[in-house]
Amino acid sequence: MKSRVLVLGAGFGGMELSTLLSEALGEKADVTVIEKGDAFVFGYSKIDVMFGRLTPEAVRLPYRNFVKPGVRLVKETITAIDPVARRVTTTDGSYEADFLVVALGADYDLAATPGLAEDGNEFYSVAGAGRVREVLPKFSKGPAVVGVCGFPFKCPPAPSECALMLHHYLAKRGVRGACDITLVLPLSSPMPASADVSAALIAAFAETGIKLLLGRSVKALEPGRKVAVLDDGTELPYALHLGVPKHQVPKPVLESGMAENGWVPITLRTMETRFPEVYAIGDGAATGLPKAGSFAESAARAVASSILAKLGIGEAKPNTGTGSCLVEFGDGRLSWADLDFLTGPKLTSVFHPPSLAGRAHKEQFGASRTARWFGR
């Protein structure tokens, strides 16, 4: 069987998959990665940018430094995907593959929430985090709402992190007493996959005076009235709104016929779509698991083993559904949960309580990927 592999997207899933294939096949690998951006950014770095810990430039890892035998990364924008022919059209040409892997992540649909683009201060994109960085110093009194506009969304703990970071940011400036903070989440708990992390977050909210509204989402903002309207009709006044937009797969994936209800259905153990030799990994796949980078990595390992097995190398290994969720508490402490969804009869979660020492774990998480993918 021919081995042309076309990977769409260079996030956690795309980076790890192409690295694994390169390690297994060396110069014989025939992997093309198509990515419209020019740099990789760890998702958690956006919080650092937003609150002024790091500059937008400091968190960028240029793709020009991603160099692997048998792998070519091209900077092009995808305009169409034909999953039947395994053909992809870009602004610069077209590509065909024997194996097609869609790893384009999720886009943000700001238009789905009226008023969000005008006054919502989305902070999930790097550009959005950079804009919020300029807005926060001007906020010193009144109600703040951290509002999620739909489910599912990437990195379930991130809105909780944002609320806690905002508390400590305002406290450091000496204006917390003049500000209220409300967190709106369309979840049953701050982090449903880990009861221990959720309990630690709820305790932190109580300690810091953050109001938590669960099972609700922001459906509209009315900038003129400075009101956030929730899906149950509740109206929350705000002087500052920090928003998580509704997510969906990118437009070319929607138009390809691969998606259903905004996401790509897959067989969870193999990450295969209904189209032969076409896989989907990462945030765009309808896995039911957390949309986080480490889970994209575990899916990439399954897909790499599947492709290699079809090339006569080794055996296909099922997706383990394993990964970690890291949680900032805003005061220097960090917690995380190691999650295992698929290797046993039920979800297992190992909880690491909030601690200052937890930061070393986060730093190692980033450093290991930076070294593995970019040689730094």
Side-chain angles (χ1 to χ4, degrees):
M1 178 179 284
K2 294 181 180 179
S3 61
R4 293 175 303 170
V5 180
L6 190 57
V7 180
L8 310 185
F12 272 86
M15 289 280 93
E16 183 62 13
L17 174 63
S18 51
T19 298
L20 289 166
L21 293 175
S22 175
E23 288 174 343
L25 299 172
E27 294 291 351
K28 294 182 180 179
D30 187 358
V31 178
T32 300
V33 183
I34 304 177
E35 167 59 48
K36 67 179 180 180
D38 58 8
F40 176 88
V41 176
F42 288 102
Y44 57 68
S45 297
K46 288 175 279 191
I47 286 282
D48 294 323
V49 170
M50 181 179 172
F51 286 96
R53 289 177 169 180
L54 294 170
T55 65
E57 185 60 33
V59 302
R60 292 163 46 85
L61 294 166
Y63 285 123
R64 65 174 178 272
N65 295 328
F66 176 72
V67 180
K68 302 293 180 185
V71 178
R72 178 172 64 125
L73 193 153
V74 296
K75 184 180 181 300
E76 298 177 16
T77 299
I78 294 166
T79 56
I81 302 169
D82 181 346
V84 176
R86 297 189 290 279
R87 181 183 302 114
V88 174
T89 304
T90 73
T91 48
D92 293 86
S94 63
Y95 300 82
E96 294 185 358
D98 303 299
F99 301 98
L100 175 63
V101 184
V102 180
L104 288 168
D107 278 355
Y108 307 127
D109 186 3
L110 273 71
T113 306
L116 184 66
E118 294 82 3
D119 206 33
N121 296 309
E122 70 83 10
F123 61 92
Y124 256 49
S125 70
V126 177
R131 289 188 291 267
V132 173
R133 176 192 184 93
E134 304 302 319
V135 169
L136 288 177
K138 303 171 186 175
F139 175 67
S140 58
K141 65 178 180 178
V145 175
V146 180
V148 180
C149 298
F151 180 82
F153 58 95
K154 294 193 285 189
C155 191
S160 297
E161 292 180 301
C162 177
L164 288 168
M165 291 282 287
L166 180 62
H167 162 80
H168 290 285
Y169 172 83
L170 296 173
K172 187 175 182 180
R173 288 175 48 205
V175 298
R176 178 64 174 96
C179 306
D180 296 321
I181 302 175
T182 300
L183 172 61
V184 180
L185 286 176
L187 304 171
S188 59
S189 67
M191 190 173 147
S194 173
D196 291 320
V197 170
S198 289
L201 285 169
I202 290 171
F205 297 150
E207 182 181 345
T208 55
I210 295 171
K211 184 178 180 181
L212 174 63
L213 296 180
L214 293 171
R216 302 181 199 176
S217 59
V218 174
K219 287 304 178 186
L221 298 181
E222 297 185 13
R225 297 173 58 213
K226 285 290 186 178
V227 167
V229 182
L230 307 189
D231 53 357
D232 65 353
T234 298
E235 294 187 349
L236 297 178
Y238 68 88
L240 171 70
H241 183 277
L242 301 175
V244 179
K246 182 180 178 183
H247 290 29
Q248 65 180 18
V249 291
K251 185 179 178 181
V253 183
L254 286 173
E255 295 177 343
S256 72
M258 298 180 66
E260 295 178 8
N261 299 316
W263 307 99
V264 180
I266 46 84
T267 300
L268 187 55
R269 293 287 181 173
T270 65
M271 306 307 295
E272 294 173 300
T273 70
R274 62 187 178 89
F275 299 94
E277 316 303 356
V278 179
Y279 303 81
I281 60 176
D283 295 334
T287 64
L289 308 184
K291 294 187 180 298
S294 55
F295 292 95
E297 290 178 346
S298 66
R301 290 191 288 271
V303 172
S305 74
S306 176
I307 291 173
L308 291 169
K310 291 175 180 180
L311 297 176
I313 302 173
E315 297 182 357
K317 298 178 181 178
N319 179 21
T320 60
T322 52
S324 297
C325 285
L326 311 174
V327 189
E328 290 269 6
F329 278 70
D331 56 0
R333 295 180 303 148
L334 187 138
S335 173
W336 78 95
D338 295 317
L339 304 168
D340 183 338
F341 283 87
L342 301 177
T343 64
K346 63 179 181 179
L347 165 67
T348 60
S349 174
V350 178
F351 172 58
H352 302 267
S355 69
L356 295 175
R359 183 154 305 282
H361 174 77
K362 182 176 181 178
E363 291 173 354
Q364 176 57 30
F365 178 92
S368 62
R369 274 73 179 175
T370 300
R372 176 165 171 75
W373 299 334
F374 297 97
R376 285 178 47 184

